[in-house]
Amino acid sequence: MKNKKISKYLSLILRHKPELANVQLDAQGWVQIEELIENSKDFSLSYELIQSIVNSNDKQRFAISEDGKKIRANQGHSVQVELGLAPITPPDILYHGTATRFMRSIKQSGLIKGERHHVHLTESKQTAIAVGERYGNAVLLGIKANSMFQLGAKFYKTQNNVWLVDHVPADKLLFD
Ligand code: HQG
């Protein structure tokens, strides 16, 4: 339970509000682990604790750099970062889970990124439904990803298998 709280705290610091822990993200979103341990007043952190939270995180939300000195969130930022992902070819269909109450607006404007840097998509129907359930009655949307790609849309895949795209036009959505 305590680890879950710390994991949520790390998401907040590494994606949205680094200033709360008196740390700075570099251009690629990395924070020095030593600095995080020293500056964070909200939790008593150690290198081993951070490492175990990174390794056990259910969605692999965080990565530690190869030299072991830095940590970053794999995706989900609202602060400006350049994750350095290369655009890749998506599968024919990807999925997005949302809630029934957003559908009217989604049918008009497609999927928009809102506060985040990208619209988040997944290869897994199950994951999409779970994401939609966070907001109410879940709706599973299929996305004609390859068709969008053919028309020039750029798709990225994060280290933890989240697909990112700038926008999904309404005519590329599949729903019942
Ligand atoms: C909806 C979690 C009205 C969209 C998950 C979603 C994900 C619209 C909400 C990650 C809309 C935005 C992201 C439109 C989109 N009109 N509503 N035109 N277009 N929406 O949280 O995808 O646990 O920013 O359907 O697993 O729900 O944080 O995006 O319901 O990967 O690691 O607006 O967050 O990961 O909500 O979730 P969000 P999301 P973590």
Side-chain angles (χ1 to χ4, degrees):
M1 193 55 212
K2 184 167 171 246
N3 280 14
K4 189 158 185 195
K5 267 196 176 158
I6 298 176
S7 168
K8 289 203 167 207
Y9 173 72
L10 289 179
S11 283
L12 179 67
I13 299 305
L14 299 173
R15 290 171 169 180
H16 309 296
K17 295 195 168 175
E19 66 276 10
L20 292 181
N22 296 308
V23 292
Q24 284 195 334
L25 271 56
D26 74 9
Q28 288 78 40
W30 295 106
V31 162
Q32 296 289 335
I33 295 176
E34 211 176 275
E35 212 174 296
L36 184 62
I37 293 169
E38 277 172 18
N39 294 6
S40 168
K41 302 269 178 287
D42 300 287
F43 289 96
S44 150
L45 300 174
S46 68
Y47 191 89
E48 291 69 29
L49 181 59
I50 290 175
Q51 204 171 32
S52 101
I53 287 170
V54 171
N55 292 336
S56 64
N57 189 264
D58 57 349
K59 287 197 193 163
Q60 293 294 297
R61 290 181 178 88
F62 314 107
I64 290 179
S65 59
E66 272 176 30
D67 64 7
K69 292 186 175 163
K70 294 177 288 185
I71 181 171
R72 76 173 178 185
N74 281 325
Q75 34 72 222
H77 299 83
S78 58
V79 295
Q80 194 56 50
V81 292
E82 179 44 68
L83 290 174
L85 301 172
I88 57 166
T89 311
D92 276 355
I93 304 289
L94 285 168
Y95 298 96
H96 177 89
T98 190
T100 42
R101 66 195 156 95
F102 297 144
M103 281 308 292
R104 183 200 286 263
S105 160
I106 289 175
K107 282 179 186 172
Q108 272 175 7
S109 349
L111 293 174
I112 54 174
K113 56 191 174 186
E115 299 282 297
R116 306 203 190 234
H117 290 177
H118 298 93
V119 174
H120 288 214
L121 307 173
T122 169
E123 288 170 48
S124 152
K125 287 186 189 179
Q126 205 185 342
T127 300
I129 291 168
V131 169
E133 281 171 347
R134 285 152 61 237
Y135 291 103
N137 287 332
V139 179
L140 176 67
L141 299 173
I143 316 294
K144 294 188 220 169
N146 196 263
S147 161
M148 288 173 61
F149 176 75
Q150 300 296 337
L151 292 170
K154 285 202 169 73
F155 285 82
Y156 305 89
K157 191 180 181 181
T158 67
Q159 210 174 320
N160 59 336
N161 297 323
V162 176
W163 283 86
L164 306 174
V165 72
D166 192 53
H167 173 238
V168 178
D171 67 349
K172 298 299 179 196
L173 296 172
L174 301 163
F175 48 86
D176 295 328

